[in-house]
Amino acid sequence: MPSESFSQNAPRIFLITKGSGMNTWYEDIAEGFRSLGCRVETAFLRSTRPAERLSQIRTKTRLMESEAVCARIAARLRAFDPDLVLILNFPGIPERANSMFRESLRGGVPILGWLCDRLDKFTKGHSPLMEGVYNFDAAASSILEQAYHGSSSKLRPLPLAASPSRYPCPPIVVTKRIPALAFAGNCTPSRKVAFTKYRELGGTLQTFGPHSAEGFHPLRNRKLSSTALGRIYADYLVSLNLLQEGNTEHGLNLRAFEIPCAGGLGTYPDVPQLADCFVPGEEVLVYRSLEELKDLVGEMSVDLERAQAISEAGHKRVMAEHTFAHRAATIISDWLPDRAAAMLPASK
């Protein structure tokens, strides 16, 4: 990897996440901060050493409940000396972990959370000890407000985003696209129910990814790389986006930003927070039923000029407001305002 150079005043951001896996958003968040000139380190909560794993088995603990894991992270915090700590996908922190982390930090360094999954209840064994929590879906607001009631912690909405380097946009030419609706991702049982209903209405749908099970194709029944996902978004006229049960209710998932980032024509159910990020009907196709979705896809297939305009407008909006660099700038502005003036792109 090429060496990195940082200004002496570069913010130092420490990310804590469960671990690597199918979801790459923690990598994209780190990239967003680095694109602004920040120094970033990431620590995994899943055990990374045999001794940690043995300790977890012996104490029947895991993640931030494991003292062995917290001791490793505390040592990393002490060595890195961050200006801000961001814990991904947790609304709170266990009291013991909080104590260990705070002892390794300078006074005044905030510990924050950012949720990217739906929150049905406050995490068992965790306490509302963070200085702030960002939430991508307003459905969790009441849970957070109840947990943090009476505290000075700041609870704020912050949508998810996309990484232009992960989902680069080729020239947008819808006339060269396959004139069909496509879904790319994990074909879960609830999603398969929607696929079946859509086809029963007479709609044509191509599915790709794990459990798609639709005959031979190199992108079916396997985990899809970001490159493969982006190619599907750019190759098909319209890309389907469905809410995943237990994940998203009022907000926008990652796919909502990734499809237009790659130049695709995205769809999204009519949820309360959609208009906060996109202009419905102009930057994304919005549907209230599968019947309406089928009609919209039909309209796009005969009105390619409009399909071109929506694809271009959606991509433009993502690049202007919804990259992870924008989200990083917002967090810097909220918590390190003395550093924010030199950070671009400007936060919204």
Side-chain angles (χ1 to χ4, degrees), residues 9-328:
N9 198 40
R12 304 166 72 91
I13 311 298
F14 195 92
L15 300 179
I16 300 176
T17 186
K18 288 182 180 180
S20 58
M22 288 185 66
N23 198 328
T24 58
W25 82 304
Y26 77 91
E27 297 174 354
D28 297 337
I29 293 169
E31 177 192 60
F33 280 111
R34 291 190 180 106
S35 72
L36 301 180
C38 300
R39 297 188 64 177
V40 182
E41 283 202 14
T42 301
F44 294 148
L45 289 169
R46 293 198 175 104
S47 58
T48 60
R49 304 170 181 172
E52 287 179 2
R53 183 58 184 150
L54 289 172
S55 174
Q56 289 176 325
I57 294 172
R58 185 176 63 255
T59 60
K60 297 181 180 180
T61 59
R62 59 190 296 271
L63 304 177
M64 278 190 283
E65 290 78 30
S66 168
E67 186 146 344
V69 169
C70 290
R72 166 174 51 84
I73 294 176
R76 293 273 308 278
L77 288 168
R78 189 176 298 107
F80 187 60
D81 188 25
D83 299 299
L84 182 151
V85 178
L86 183 61
I87 303 179
L88 303 179
N89 231 17
F90 285 95
I93 185 171
E95 292 188 6
R96 177 56 178 158
N98 183 65
S99 296
M100 295 176 72
F101 294 169
R102 302 283 181 185
E103 290 172 0
S104 299
L105 298 171
R106 286 176 282 114
V109 173
I111 296 179
L112 313 173
W114 188 9
L115 303 179
C116 79
D117 283 326
R118 179 178 171 181
L119 184 68
D120 292 316
K121 59 183 178 179
F122 205 82
T123 307
K124 183 179 180 181
H126 289 216
S127 299
L129 299 172
M130 295 177 173
E131 278 75 16
V133 180
Y134 290 103
N135 181 24
F136 89 112
D137 194 317
S141 296
S142 60
I143 297 172
L144 291 171
E145 290 167 0
Q146 181 178 4
Y148 280 90
H149 179 71
S151 77
S152 60
S153 299
K154 300 174 183 178
L155 309 177
R156 298 178 177 175
L158 189 65
L160 300 176
S163 165
S165 64
R166 186 177 296 280
Y167 294 98
C169 181
I172 300 175
V173 185
V174 300
T175 55
K176 295 183 178 180
R177 292 182 175 173
I178 300 169
L181 177 68
F183 176 83
N186 188 12
C187 298
T188 61
S190 64
R191 287 169 173 167
K192 285 187 174 183
V193 169
F195 299 161
T196 299
K197 289 181 179 179
Y198 184 81
R199 288 165 175 151
E200 288 175 348
L201 292 170
T204 300
L205 170 65
Q206 298 292 325
T207 59
F208 304 93
H211 313 297
S212 51
E214 285 192 358
F216 175 76
H217 189 286
L219 298 181
R220 289 197 172 111
N221 300 312
R222 53 173 287 189
K223 176 183 175 182
L224 300 176
S225 67
S226 301
T227 300
L229 288 169
R231 187 164 68 248
I232 293 169
Y233 299 152
D235 283 351
Y236 280 80
L237 180 62
V238 182
S239 291
L240 174 60
N241 198 348
L242 293 165
L243 298 185
Q244 174 70 343
E245 289 184 358
N247 180 283
T248 311
E249 185 175 345
H250 296 320
L252 279 69
N253 58 23
L254 286 166
R255 189 180 283 105
F257 303 99
E258 293 167 353
I259 292 171
C261 186
L265 175 50
T267 62
Y268 208 79
D270 186 20
V271 298
Q273 291 177 248
L274 178 62
D276 295 338
C277 296
F278 294 101
V279 178
E282 296 182 16
E283 297 169 339
V284 61
L285 295 178
V286 184
Y287 64 94
R288 298 159 192 82
S289 67
L290 293 177
E291 290 87 352
E292 184 176 13
L293 174 63
K294 177 178 172 293
D295 291 342
L296 286 170
V297 174
E299 291 172 13
M300 292 301 101
S301 65
V302 297
D303 191 352
L304 295 180
E305 185 175 343
R306 184 181 172 210
Q308 178 80 24
I310 296 174
S311 298
E312 291 176 349
H315 177 71
K316 182 177 180 180
R317 174 56 66 93
V318 168
M319 297 303 292
E321 299 182 11
H322 301 312
T323 69
F324 279 105
H326 289 97
R327 303 297 181 256

